[in-house]
């Protein structure tokens, strides 16, 4: 028996729905961020003698992984026209639980507990947003406070040095020509690829875009909006767990004060990467580039000896430009 | 172990606003009954964000000293640096509750002046801890670390411990923050250089955390692999910088100095991660303020006024001639924050 739901999703998948548009948009949307990234790299390569070498470029990738991974989860949520203010706090809670448990226990078990905690908090967010229909901004703002305070209470605001090879493995990796390509960077690229595939090639991805574009129309088309929303928050939480693992590898310290701006930094990467804050448009490849842009600016400006405050100025200008472009594109489409 | 002050984020500010709206009284003032006429006098304690172990220690030290002297206590805290509005409300409530003295860590150097003047006009003794007001005499006295001296101590130690061809990196916190600027300037003067000196290879701003310390050290090392002396605003930043240096195989030949004296920072001195740190004494700031308040209630004597140094001690396991210091073992028995 064919249900209305099956028919409509199948139609969407054949490109009769918004999907064909989305593919076209995706290519346009990464053009801007990619151009900005290339311009920044060229400027720093010409203005400093130390920026453009393989070792520094590999360093930039390593510096991007934590916020870059957080931003992948953030992208999913923003695509559903939501926002996640709690993602940095969830990641920090996951990392301090893993770090503290691993001091006297089994690191693999600690990591599993960390994963369960991240998913549990993500599920709470998802339930409140999907089933109770509470605004994501408010839900994640409240959850952020609870989660951040929990991390401090659990650790008495103390940080833990990580001694386990398993927990810091993402900072290791093969060295090619003196440049280490860490497993963390590989994981970040792999997550981007998997999510990119899931968003563009699976019916789940079509539903995510449809819900973000217009949840009422999606519901009329037979899409189970609540279920899609919940799945997005849970998948995002799994990604935040990977970000926590990345962070433990990068700094070998589980610090309840760390990544205090993780939520805003991830939103910045998503917006600079061309994903619309209004939902339904954009993708993880743009976010990947967005995260690199933010790191390149900090790395390059520091090397050039320019005050770090200018990095904030440049990042802020890029955010405004990105939102401006999104607004113009949206207006042209609705004409 | 944490930083002196944190950068406020829009999210935190929004969170605070909503929290205040929900629990209007909660943000204004904590527990404690009025100071009334009869019975034990009440001390008002107004702190900065207590999630920062430094301010938490400062509050606990002040409260313990006050209770030991038989005072009642009324507490309030600003949740973010710069949140003076909450502090003003708290102080108004304390005046209404007829406290005898107020001990405050001001979130801003001038924003509290008006309400504190009202308190003084009602005969309440006003004491600031950790940071002074502008003008300093807007409070009856200030008990604080002399951050210039703290910076100077680590600067002098770093100079004496430096290799013959020093290349200095400065990992700062926003220099509009007075303690951050004082430490920065103190270090430079102790080292005998200026920020523009050719000896300074590079500088960068951090947010006072391990992760930002590590990233910025990595960035500076990319441009200046010859860096061999590193000043850090606090011990979490030093810890992050050490990881960056270690990853490059440079940790052993780099002189790394910091300020704070948190127990985790002193542990890093003991492990050889940090060469030397200047210890602060938040407990002592509170104790000194309570002693002044107690004297005032007993016989009306006000403290001398101005900024009274609560002391700073250089902690290192590699003492140098001409710079007084204590060992990390001594440091571990005098440090603050979680052990």
């Amino acid at each position: 028996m064919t249900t209305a739901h099956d028919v409509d999703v199948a139609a969407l998948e054949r490109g009769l729905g918004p999907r064909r548009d989305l593919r076209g948009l995706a290519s346009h949307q990464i053009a801007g961020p990619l151009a900005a990234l290339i311009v920044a790299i060229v400027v720093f390569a010409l203005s400093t003698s130390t920026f453009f070498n393989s070792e520094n470029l590999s360093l930039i990738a390593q510096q991007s992984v934590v916020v870059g991974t957080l931003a992948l989860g953030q992208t999913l949520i923003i695509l559903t026209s939501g926002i996640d203010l709690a993602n940095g706090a969830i990641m920090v809670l996951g990392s301090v639980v893993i770090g503290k448990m691993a001091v006297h226990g089994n690191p693999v078990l600690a990591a599993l507990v960390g994963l369960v905690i991240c998913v549990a908090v993500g599920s709470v967010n998802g339930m409140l947003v999907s089933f109770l229909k509470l605004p994501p901004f408010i839900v994640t703002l409240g959850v952020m406070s609870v989660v951040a305070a929990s991390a401090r209470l659990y650790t008495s605001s103390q940080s833990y040095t990580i001694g386990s090879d398993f927990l810091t493995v993402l900072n290791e990796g093969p060295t090619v020509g003196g440049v280490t390509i860490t497993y963390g960077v590989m994981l970040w690229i792999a997550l981007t690829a998997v999510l990119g595939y899931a968003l563009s090639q699976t019916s789940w991805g079509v539903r995510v875009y449809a819900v973000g574009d217009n949840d009422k129309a999606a519901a009329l088309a037979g899409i189970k909006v609540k279920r899609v929303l919940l799945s997005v928050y849970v998948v995002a939480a799994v990604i935040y767990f990977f970000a926590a693992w990345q962070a433990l590898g990068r700094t070998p310290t589980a610090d309840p004060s760390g990544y205090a701006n993780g939520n805003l930094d991830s939103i910045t990467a998503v917006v600079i990467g061309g994903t619309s804050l209004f939902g339904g448009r954009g993708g993880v490849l743009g976010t990947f580039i967005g995260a690199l842009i933010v790191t390149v600016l900090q790395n390059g400006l520091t090397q050039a000896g320019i005050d770090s405050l200018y990095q904030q100025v440049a990042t802020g200008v890029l955010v405004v430009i990105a939102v401006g472009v999104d607004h113009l594109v949206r207006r042209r489409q609705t004409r | 172990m944490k930083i002196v002050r944190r950068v406020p984020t829009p999210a935190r500010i929004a969170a605070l606003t909503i929290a205040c709206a929900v629990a209007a009284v909660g943000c204004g003032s904590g527990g404690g009954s009025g100071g009334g006429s009869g019975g034990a006098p009440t001390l008002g304690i107004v702190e900065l964000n207590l999630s920062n172990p430094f301010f938490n220690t400062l509050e606990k030290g002040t409260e313990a000293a006050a209770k030991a002297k038989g005072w009642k206590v009324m507490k309030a805290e600003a949740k973010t640096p710069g949140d003076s509005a909450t502090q003003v409300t708290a102080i108004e409530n304390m005046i209404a509750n007829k406290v005898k003295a107020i001990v405050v860590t001001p979130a801003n150097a001038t924003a509290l002046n008006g309400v504190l003047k009202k308190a003084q006009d009602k005969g309440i003794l006003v004491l600031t801890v950790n940071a002074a007001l502008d003008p300093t005499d807007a409070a009856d006295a200030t008990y604080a670390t002399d951050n210039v001296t703290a910076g100077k101590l680590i600067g002098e130690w770093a100079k004496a411990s430096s290799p013959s061809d020093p290349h200095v990196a400065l990992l700062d916190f926003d220099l509009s923050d007075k303690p951050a600027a004082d430490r920065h300037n103190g270090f430079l003067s102790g080292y005998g250089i200026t920020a523009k000196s050719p000896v300074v290879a590079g500088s960068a701003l951090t947010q006072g955390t391990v992760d930002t310390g590590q990233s910025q050290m990595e960035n500076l090392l990319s441009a200046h692999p010859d860096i061999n002396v590193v000043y850090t605003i606090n011990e979490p930043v030093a810890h992050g910088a050490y990881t960056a240096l270690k990853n490059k195989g440079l940790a052993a030949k780099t002189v790394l100095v910091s300020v704070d004296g948190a127990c985790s920072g002193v542990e890093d001195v003991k492990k050889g991660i940090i060469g030397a740190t200047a210890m602060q004494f938040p407990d002592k700031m509170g104790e000194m303020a309570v002693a002044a308040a107690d004297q005032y209630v007993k016989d009306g004597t006000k403290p001398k006024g101005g900024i009274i140094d609560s002391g700073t001690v250089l902690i290192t396991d590699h003492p140098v001639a001409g710079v007084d210091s204590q060992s990390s073992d001594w440091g571990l028995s005098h440090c603050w924050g979680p052990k």
Side-chain angles (χ1 to χ4, degrees):
Chain A
M1 191 182 109
T2 305
T3 65
H5 164 242
D6 292 334
V7 170
D8 287 318
V9 171
L12 289 171
E13 283 177 357
R14 283 198 306 273
L16 300 175
R19 190 163 175 232
R20 180 172 287 166
D21 292 343
L22 292 168
R23 274 191 183 155
L25 275 172
S27 60
H28 286 305
Q29 276 167 353
I30 65 160
L34 195 58
L37 178 63
I38 291 168
V39 168
I41 289 174
V42 169
V43 167
F44 290 126
L46 294 176
S47 58
T48 74
S49 59
T50 49
F51 177 85
F52 199 74
N53 63 63
S54 51
E55 202 176 340
N56 190 53
L57 295 179
S58 126
L59 180 64
I60 287 169
Q62 289 172 40
Q63 290 180 339
S64 305
V65 290
V66 178
V67 169
T69 304
L70 270 182
L72 294 177
Q74 184 74 262
T75 309
L76 291 180
I77 290 171
I78 290 181
L79 280 175
T80 64
S81 71
I83 197 147
D84 193 351
L85 296 177
N87 66 351
I90 296 173
M91 179 200 79
V92 168
L93 178 64
S95 73
V96 296
V97 166
I98 296 169
K100 187 173 174 182
M101 280 189 71
V103 172
H104 300 298
N106 182 332
V108 180
L109 182 66
L112 282 175
V113 174
L115 173 62
V116 169
I117 284 177
C118 288
V119 170
V121 180
S123 305
V124 170
N125 277 336
M127 298 276 208
L128 294 173
V129 168
S130 59
F131 289 96
L132 292 186
K133 292 198 161 90
L134 300 178
F137 184 91
I138 301 299
V139 166
T140 57
L141 181 64
V143 168
M144 174 188 76
S145 292
V146 174
V147 171
S150 303
R152 288 188 181 281
L153 288 169
Y154 179 67
T155 57
S156 308
S157 295
Q158 190 175 359
S159 51
Y160 292 86
T161 302
I162 306 299
S164 150
D165 289 343
F166 169 72
L167 293 178
T168 56
V169 70
L170 294 179
N171 204 41
E172 306 295 321
T175 302
V176 183
V179 176
T180 303
I181 301 154
T182 64
Y183 298 123
V185 172
M186 293 183 203
L187 175 64
W188 181 36
I189 293 169
L191 284 171
T192 307
V194 168
L195 285 172
Y197 177 84
L199 284 172
S200 64
Q201 304 297 324
T202 69
S203 60
W204 177 75
V206 175
R207 290 182 176 107
V208 169
Y209 279 106
V211 166
D213 201 38
N214 187 335
D215 59 344
K216 290 187 179 66
L220 287 173
I223 292 174
K224 291 180 173 153
V225 174
K226 289 176 184 170
R227 206 181 280 179
V228 172
L229 278 175
L230 180 59
S231 74
V232 161
Y233 280 86
V234 171
V235 171
V238 173
I239 296 167
Y240 302 152
F241 159 75
F242 284 118
W245 196 359
Q246 303 265 31
L248 291 175
R250 233 190 89 66
T251 51
T253 304
D255 181 9
S257 305
Y259 298 96
N261 294 331
N263 52 359
L264 298 180
D265 291 345
S266 66
I267 294 167
T268 301
V270 173
V271 172
I272 290 181
T275 293
S276 171
L277 276 174
F278 302 102
R281 289 151 13 99
V284 286
L285 187 55
T287 298
F288 183 88
I289 296 168
L292 283 174
I293 290 173
V294 174
T295 313
V296 161
L297 285 175
Q298 182 173 49
N299 179 290
L301 288 170
T302 306
Q303 289 198 31
I306 295 169
D307 196 318
S308 308
L309 291 174
Y310 288 103
Q311 180 234 332
Q312 294 178 27
V313 172
T315 309
V317 168
L318 279 178
V319 167
V320 174
I321 291 173
V323 173
V325 168
D326 176 45
H327 181 69
L328 286 176
V329 169
R330 191 167 275 270
R331 217 167 55 173
R332 189 180 301 170
Q333 282 181 340
T334 51
R335 253 179 214 160
Chain B
M1 71 169 274
K2 303 302 163 200
I3 198 223
V4 244
R5 280 162 183 71
R6 285 184 192 292
V7 189
T9 63
R12 281 183 180 177
I13 292 165
L16 178 69
T17 314
I18 287 175
C20 287
V22 174
V25 229
C27 289
S29 65
S33 56
S37 31
T42 302
L43 180 72
I45 303 174
V46 185
E47 264 311 324
L48 275 178
N49 48 329
L50 298 182
S51 55
N52 179 336
F54 183 88
F55 297 116
N56 203 4
T57 307
L58 182 46
E59 189 198 69
K60 281 187 181 149
T62 312
E63 186 176 6
K67 287 192 169 160
K69 289 188 182 290
W71 286 63
K72 286 192 277 185
V73 164
M74 191 174 171
K75 296 184 288 183
E77 68 159 312
K79 295 277 192 302
T80 59
D83 174 28
S84 35
T86 301
Q87 291 194 327
V88 168
T89 309
I91 292 166
E92 285 168 349
N93 291 346
M94 287 172 179
I95 295 171
N97 274 274
K98 297 190 168 53
V99 299
K100 296 289 183 198
I102 293 171
V103 176
V104 53
T105 297
N108 176 287
T110 54
L112 305 181
N113 290 4
V115 72
L116 289 175
K117 174 80 172 51
K118 273 189 213 160
Q120 286 173 319
D121 290 346
K122 300 229 175 227
I124 297 168
L125 188 72
V126 170
L127 306 162
T128 66
V129 281
N130 189 54
L133 296 170
D134 183 16
T136 311
D137 62 8
D140 291 302
T142 298
Y143 303 90
T145 304
D146 182 341
N147 280 294
V148 176
T149 302
K152 216 166 178 176
L153 282 171
I154 54 171
E156 288 168 354
W157 184 89
K159 174 77 177 171
S161 310
S162 276
S164 52
D165 60 334
H167 299 274
V168 179
L170 304 168
L171 290 180
D172 280 306
F173 181 73
D174 187 350
L175 291 176
S176 64
D177 179 73
K178 191 165 184 302
D182 285 350
R183 290 177 194 182
H184 169 98
N185 294 332
F187 171 81
L188 293 172
S189 95
Y191 202 93
I193 51 176
T194 66
K196 292 197 185 331
S197 161
V199 172
V200 177
S203 61
L205 291 189
T206 70
Q207 290 171 21
T209 56
V210 178
D211 56 308
T212 54
Q214 181 176 335
S215 294
Q216 291 292 42
M217 189 73 240
E218 288 168 346
N219 293 341
L220 288 175
L221 282 174
S222 271
H224 311 283
D226 50 1
I227 285 170
N228 51 17
V229 178
V230 180
Y231 157 84
T232 57
I233 182 68
N234 69 357
E235 289 146 3
V237 169
H239 196 92
Y242 172 80
T243 304
L245 289 160
K246 194 179 68 174
N247 290 347
K248 282 260 189 181
L250 297 170
K253 47 185 164 184
T254 303
V255 173
L256 180 59
V257 291
S258 196
V259 177
D260 248 2
C263 294
S264 53
V266 178
E267 280 286 356
D268 278 354
V269 173
K270 194 173 178 65
K271 288 179 194 159
I273 289 173
I274 298 174
T277 192
M279 179 177 278
Q280 305 192 80
F281 298 93
D283 295 359
K284 204 172 161 196
M285 292 173 199
E287 284 164 19
M288 292 166 89
V290 169
D294 203 49
Q295 189 69 43
Y296 174 69
V297 167
K298 275 183 184 144
D299 58 16
T301 313
K302 285 193 176 179
K304 193 176 66 167
I307 301 175
I308 299 147
D309 184 8
S310 54
T312 178
V313 170
L314 187 73
I315 307 293
T316 180
D317 287 334
H318 304 281
V320 297
V323 189
D324 287 341
S325 64
Q326 293 285 355
S327 69
S328 59
D329 286 335
W330 184 94
L332 283 173
S333 58
H334 292 80
C335 59
W336 53 267
K339 295 204 179 184

